[in-house]
Amino acid sequence: MALNSKNLVKVIETEEAWDEWMGKSGDMLLVLDCHQDWCGQCETLQPTFLRIFMDNDEPESRLAFLSANIKVFKDKIKEILPEDSQISLDEHGCMPFFLLIRSNAVVANVIGANSPSILMNVQGNIPAKPEGDVEA
């Protein structure tokens, strides 16, 4: 399957999938689109995600774009939000927010479809390319 912005974002649908992705957050940066069930994942940032993916070396081992329904994963999201977070899951409206996650912790959050902020936070938090990887 050819890479495009539509198949770049992986939808988390089960607690097992959530736990599996969080387990990978020690080695890679997770960019999680948190959205309402009636709204769906943010399509506006898909070209930005594709650009980030294509502009980085070995992105598949360093970065993942994910989507999760706030209603389904509210408790899981609350577990990783910092205590001083300004995000209220109980009163959250239709604007998506994005959590950048490393080692099961939120390292940055972006409210709304803010492409420059997503770009800046991904570049500031993506893990370095593994040292042992030498191109032939």
Side-chain angles (χ1 to χ4, degrees):
M1 175 174 8
L3 179 65
N4 65 53
S5 60
K6 295 284 187 199
N7 62 20
L8 190 59
V9 178
K10 308 297 183 214
V11 178
I12 299 176
E13 296 179 332
T14 65
E15 285 196 25
E16 292 78 16
W18 175 279
D19 293 341
E20 182 179 334
W21 280 111
M22 290 304 125
K24 295 178 183 182
S25 71
D27 298 322
M28 62 190 331
L29 177 65
L30 308 180
V31 179
L32 178 63
D33 171 4
C34 301
H35 59 82
Q36 297 288 359
D37 58 342
W38 47 266
C39 186
Q41 70 186 39
C42 180
E43 293 183 13
T44 302
L45 285 178
Q46 288 182 356
T48 300
F49 294 161
L50 184 59
R51 174 181 165 201
I52 292 169
F53 195 85
M54 304 228 2
D55 285 352
N56 282 283
D57 292 331
E58 300 182 30
E60 59 282 336
S61 65
R62 301 169 56 210
L63 175 69
F65 296 102
L66 308 169
S67 176
N69 180 331
I70 294 171
K71 184 176 181 180
V72 174
F73 292 101
K74 184 178 187 176
D75 291 338
K76 294 281 191 182
I77 294 169
K78 281 183 178 181
E79 286 176 14
I80 61 172
L81 279 176
E83 288 183 26
D84 63 348
S85 174
Q86 300 298 313
I87 298 171
S88 171
L89 298 180
D90 296 321
E91 299 174 17
H92 191 74
C94 64
M95 188 179 306
F97 64 90
F98 300 85
L99 302 177
L100 283 76
I101 303 163
R102 286 289 313 273
S103 300
N104 289 319
V106 174
V107 293
N109 69 69
V110 176
I111 297 178
N114 186 334
S115 184
S117 185
I118 292 279
L119 285 166
M120 179 186 70
N121 282 295
V122 167
Q123 292 309 326
N125 290 290
I126 191 170
K129 187 173 148 184
E131 294 277 332
D133 292 353
V134 179
E135 292 184 22

